[in-house]
Amino acid sequence: MSSADLRPRVRFAPSPTGSLHVGGARTALFNWLYARKYNGVFLLRVEDTDRARSTDESTRAIFDGLEWLGLTWDEEVVYQGANVARHYADAHRLLETGAAYRDFTPASEIERLRAEAEARGDAFRFDRSMAMLSDAETAAKLAAGEPYAIRFMVPDGVTEWHDLVHERIAFPNKDIEDFVILRSDGTPVYNLAVVSDDIDMRITLVMRGDDHISNTPKQILLYRALGATEPQFGHVPMILGADGKKLSKRHGATAVGDYQYLGLLPGAMVNFLALLGWSTGDDTEVMTLPELIAKFDTHGLQKKAAIFDTKKLEWMNGQYLALTALDALAPVVAPALVKAGLTTAEALDARREWFHGLLDLLRIRSRTIDDIVRQAPPYFQPTVEYDPEAVTKQWRDAKAAAEILAATRERLAALPVWEPVAMEEALRHLAEELSISGGKIFQPLRVALVGLTVSPGIFDVLQYVGREWSLARLDAAVAYLTADSSAA
Ligand code: GLU
């Protein structure tokens, strides 16, 4: 065996029946981190055997989501639907070895028995004796072309494994029914298709959601019956909403694509997802991708369900907004500003330094790209709208405010350079002359410049709004306030 064959091989195996859900993305991430950490191979398998529910659109959304998160796969995508001939052959191989048997029971009969059992309050279990026919009976049914399903004959005993997360898990085989592996229409059932493909893909570790735990004993039995060595298994915890219920649309966005369009940074999303069911053991939370790879360890995988806390995700994104280099952040924010109708890509390119500086300013008070966009209009549009609350709070005495703003305008207009240090000096002087605090100048000025009571530091605002627009806004504010007072 060459050393390449010893590399761990893991996979993410989504069913393309919807968008990439955060739970799926988290499972993909754990597998990806595992592969990157242990010099392994991360594979993607699209489980599209359910023709009725699988769509190309969903497959596309899964690829897009994984690409956005940076979870690249190492070999060509495997489409499960392309392997049905092998699944079929494997089922028939089990039939030949006696590990499986033909079940000619008509579907209608199974349905009737199931309904009866339910009426009694029991769970239906297929009774093997129903299918046990003599060779002659089987031959006759085959000759008559009667359809049959293939069922796996669950042996006696206990099926157990050492789970990477839960440690020992054991299922008494008597609790496992002889499950169907190939339907009477020749299509494989999930457990068979997965095992057949995982063997073919030489998967060494199956890491997936807790909801698959009850499938694992069936799959282990199939590996053994097919003469293959079973991989390791690890079942990662479910993701719940803040109310402790299974994460669903009620909790807000659950698709990775939604977060992409809400203006989240992919690095923040990855970091947040990594902490859903895994921890470093210390308090470290904000980790770059290389750090995550370095720290990832299956011992940190948790048994208890993880809580999807959108507040934490926003917080994480705020951390990433602050950490990301402006060169990397600008291309992510630019399209959002363009989409909001505030500017064009060309205009931003032409004022690159100004744009990066502005971004550095606006990201301080932002947790999302949308927060940045929301604060941006005063820097891109000549005029601003006044928030009524800001007017009431900071311009309560219209006459006094107009006087202060007029004086402010005069001092700023007289400056030889439009530069924060000079502005601050000039306005502090003015405050002294008027025997008022700096705030009495800066607060009304802020409303004039951005229309709000909050903004980045006022001298930065003046600088980024620019001389011409700033002075025009001061004129407009004075005009607004004097018009108001004469009307009153
Ligand atoms: N296709 C299955 C699912 O989306 C996953 C199968 C597996 O990981 O074994 O739940």
Side-chain angles (χ1 to χ4, degrees), residues 337 342 372-384 469 473:
L337 292 169
L342 292 171
I372 294 182
V373 173
R374 254 193 300 281
Q375 295 179 72
Y379 309 91
F380 290 95
Q381 294 171 340
T383 57
V384 293
W469 282 2
R473 276 178 212 176

Side-chain angles (χ1 to χ4, degrees), residues 9-52:
R9 293 171 67 86
V10 292
R11 84 313 193 263
F12 174 50
S15 305
T17 54
S19 47
L20 177 63
H21 188 264
V22 288
R26 189 279 317 258
T27 300
L29 173 62
F30 284 170
N31 279 286
W32 185 89
L33 286 172
Y34 186 94
R36 293 296 169 268
K37 168 86 186 218
Y38 300 107
N39 184 33
V41 182
F42 172 69
L43 304 173
L44 179 59
R45 180 170 74 229
V46 177
E47 304 217 311
D48 56 350
T49 37
D50 185 345
R51 293 272 172 220

Side-chain angles (χ1 to χ4, degrees), residues 189-255:
V189 167
Y190 162 75
N191 281 313
L192 175 73
V194 165
V195 170
S196 181
D197 288 354
D198 282 340
I199 293 173
D200 191 61
M201 292 163 75
R202 292 177 285 121
I203 297 301
T204 59
L205 164 65
V206 169
M207 199 170 5
R208 59 186 170 196
D210 258 1
D211 49 340
H212 283 289
I213 286 185
S214 64
N215 286 317
T216 302
K218 295 179 183 173
Q219 295 184 8
I220 289 176
L221 290 171
L222 286 174
Y223 277 99
R224 293 177 185 166
L226 286 166
T229 317
E230 67 234 35
Q232 255 190 310
F233 289 92
H235 291 88
V236 296
M238 292 285 96
I239 300 177
L240 307 179
D243 57 0
K245 303 228 168 77
K246 193 171 162 14
L247 193 66
S248 74
K249 285 261 179 272
R250 278 183 306 113
H251 297 102
T254 55

